[in-house]
Amino acid sequence: TSLANNSSRAGYCRTKILQFASEYDADYATTSNKEKTLGALVLLTVPLAWGTYAPVVKFVYDMDPPVPGFLFSTAYYLIASASLLFLMNMTAENDIADLQSLNGVNGEVRTEACGTGAALPIRGGVELGAYLFLGNCLQVVGLQTVPADRAAFLVQLTTIMVPLAQAAFARDIFAIG
């Protein structure tokens, strides 16, 4: 019965997700051109951020005295975390309203409907961010101690190793995605 219960919960979640997606599509169709233009401008900030990253890093490492790599990595992860927390707090009220419209009864928000609590995505994001931070810090230390050609080889080797590790853990060569 546990399998049947999980299957019915998955079906319920799939129905709710499809319902939300259709409502989102309807909302997007009624979005004004001004809002669409603003969204496009916000998306254009991504290449701006990526394009300015390398010159800023070069500038910081050319400073006298040089900034330690670990300190620099910590600083930009703290800035990114603060920015995301700010954005999360800005959108929290909208998310609660969306949940209430999807599955609330008398204004009650039932986040457990799909088997997750409200804090689960945040905890998952913090965990993945911690792994990314640790990997980045180890990479910074490695780049300071290994010749550039060997470092480039090792960094690019992850492009091959990650899918192979995924297939090994799944015990299925076709799991490479």
Side-chain angles (χ1 to χ4, degrees), residues 3-17 113-115:
L3 185 60
N5 189 15
N6 285 340
S7 176
S8 67
R9 183 185 306 175
Y12 174 77
C13 290
R14 198 172 10 262
T15 302
K16 288 297 183 183
I17 290 169
C114 292

Side-chain angles (χ1 to χ4, degrees), residues 152-169 173 175-177:
F153 174 76
L154 292 173
V155 168
Q156 292 305 315
L157 189 62
T158 60
T159 307
I160 297 168
M161 295 306 294
V162 169
L164 290 177
Q166 177 185 4
F169 284 126
I173 192 67
I176 297 175

